[in-house]
Amino acid sequence: MDGRLLTRRLTEKTDSLVKDLTMGLSHHGNPPWCMVAVGGYGRMELCPYSDIDLLLLVDGKARQEDIEATLQKLLYPLWDRGFTVGYSVRTVKQSLRDTRNDFFFRTSLLDARYLCGKRELFDELMRACEGNRALRDTRRFFLDLEAHIEKRHLRFGDASYTLEPDIKEGMGSLRDYHCLLWVTRVASLDRGVQVLYLARVDHDELEDAAANLLYIRYALHELAGRKVDRLSFEYQQSLAERLGFKGNGNETASELLMRSFHCSALAIKSITGSFRAQLGVEYKTRWRTKPRPMGKDFLVSANLISFSHPDEVTRRPGLVMDAFGLVADHGLSLSYHARNIVRRSLETLEPLRQDNGAKQKFIRILRGRQCLAALTTMLETGILERFLPEFAPLKGRTQVDVYHTFTADLHSIRTVHELRILEEEESDVFGLIEDKDTLYLAALLHDIGKGYGRPHAVIGASMVHDIAGWLGFPGKSADLAAFLVHHHLLLPDIAYRRDLSEEKVSLECARIARDRQTLAMLYLLSIADSRATGPRAW
């Protein structure tokens, strides 16, 4: 079901209860107060056990004893029914003052919704907010919003890749979706800025992703019997069964649930992050410089890269891979406009799979200094799975054990990143390797078999041999890539499961490794894989 439908139904029931409780509190049909729903309640996104956020807007002439009596007659019955109620009492003048000093109150008013009471008070507040120049300062609001977003992400982590994500507050969570709605709403009131609108494809994907997260959050609250927003392991299996997910032999029901969640969170993170970066340029909160050419096909401004001639991308799809090459080499980010062009070009990228030049560019991206940023952006825009379809089953896939910290897709990308770091840290060992391209390809694809069954190393080795051949690697290198994937767990298994004092263990390892270069590759791949898995594994 659509999470919006569920939350709206619950909100409407709660509205009816609040209105019923306020009946009889009016003074001859014209009460000196107005009840306003704010925050999540105002957005009509109530989940079971969510807080009910209320603003009692009062007339400046209202008597204190009347206000207290109204609150008692409303709040006590709600508390008796088990609701957690957050409330405040303000006049219109106080509300206007507090929106300037209290950022969170300001954002809650952006979702304000009239419930009952004196409608004129609500309309007066809305007109006052819309007409106040300080409150329509998009640049100031955006700066404050970004500061709070940075703190929140640091505290709650990345919901799109972590295995026990926070549905409401993590990076890629519902709160990121709300932040985008807030800033565009403020901008629409500010005559001093040009409103930047989401592309239709991004708008639709964002709405679908938010609806899915709301659905999961609603069911999680029901299952837990309390307000809980962290999707921890203890709930995942029961929640998956509750939502109708069924294992398929390769993935359990809980893994399928988490894949659904992570793909939605990734969409929210990718779209909102790119859009906010562009807003930073539009509202001049990021450093703004005159666009400078980078070659004849690209422009760079405020560390964001754009296409010089966007119309040529369809005719020259290789430009897409060139853009990611610049990200990998220089640490640039795609501008929101460039990202939209890349997204729109997905259907026309089949020629890239047949272009030898594009294949070579992809290998260079793997070895770029900023390979993590480039490959992550390729994943988030859909380019990675379109160029390398075998990678698609890893997207959003969970790895439930005591070691893994990230989903399989990001773990694979981070393994390449860790290998790039090791190239400087372990320069002596890297000096033994002549075929570095093969090592980097094996790092990206070492877990590719996890999307297709068990044992994943054996399945993956066969797949990687074919992929390497398609990418243009000679037969010997394709064999080596398959070997590395097949044996990428060899050294950790020997180190922790065998008796190292026995000579036959060393002889067996030497027999499998065969030569110094291969042993060096296995060594580096083992370290990169362990680091990318998480602190406990390393």
Side-chain angles (χ1 to χ4, degrees), residues 407-475:
T407 51
D409 48 0
L410 185 65
H411 164 72
S412 300
I413 290 171
R414 288 184 66 86
T415 301
V416 178
H417 168 66
E418 293 291 349
L419 189 63
R420 185 67 184 77
I421 295 174
L422 285 170
E423 190 161 359
E424 298 180 7
E425 290 182 1
E426 298 273 4
S427 56
D428 290 345
V429 181
F430 254 98
L432 300 173
I433 299 172
E434 299 177 1
D435 193 353
K436 295 182 176 65
D437 289 349
T438 296
L439 176 59
Y440 274 91
L441 179 65
L444 177 67
L445 302 179
H446 72 281
D447 276 346
I448 194 77
K450 286 187 175 179
Y452 298 88
R454 296 181 177 85
H456 78 277
V458 176
I459 294 173
S462 175
M463 295 176 64
V464 169
H465 189 277
D466 294 340
I467 293 171
W470 164 73
L471 284 170
F473 284 76

Side-chain angles (χ1 to χ4, degrees), residues 23 68 529:
M23 289 181 63
E68 291 177 358
D529 184 17

Side-chain angles (χ1 to χ4, degrees), residues 40-142:
Y41 184 28
R43 288 191 302 272
M44 302 192 78
E45 290 185 356
L46 277 188
C47 293
Y49 306 101
S50 288
D51 296 349
I52 298 176
D53 296 320
L54 295 171
L55 166 63
L56 182 63
L57 205 57
V58 298
D59 192 311
K61 299 178 182 179
R63 296 189 307 168
Q64 184 68 26
E65 55 266 29
D66 290 339
I67 295 172
E68 291 177 358
T70 299
L71 283 172
Q72 288 179 4
K73 292 177 181 178
L74 172 65
L75 296 179
Y76 285 9
L78 288 174
W79 287 333
D80 290 342
R81 287 168 169 79
F83 288 100
T84 301
V85 184
Y87 71 94
S88 63
V89 181
R90 290 176 168 94
T91 63
V92 171
K93 186 176 180 179
Q94 287 172 334
S95 297
L96 198 62
R97 182 194 63 211
D98 291 344
T99 54
R100 291 192 291 267
N101 303 325
D102 186 336
F103 180 77
F104 294 105
F105 178 63
R106 183 180 180 186
T107 59
S108 71
L109 277 190
L110 290 172
D111 298 311
R113 183 170 55 86
Y114 171 79
L115 284 176
C116 54
K118 190 174 182 179
R119 178 75 193 220
E120 291 82 357
L121 284 173
F122 178 79
D123 293 338
E124 181 184 350
L125 175 62
M126 292 299 101
R127 286 194 302 269
C129 289
E130 291 176 7
N132 188 282
R133 181 176 298 178
L135 301 182
R136 289 188 283 108
D137 185 347
T138 307
R139 184 179 185 277
R140 181 73 259 166
F141 179 83
F142 184 71

Side-chain angles (χ1 to χ4, degrees), residues 237-255:
Q237 183 61 37
S238 299
L239 186 62
E241 294 171 357
R242 190 184 193 92
L243 296 180
F245 287 92
K246 298 183 184 299
N248 56 22
N250 190 27
E251 287 180 275
T252 65
S254 61
E255 289 171 341

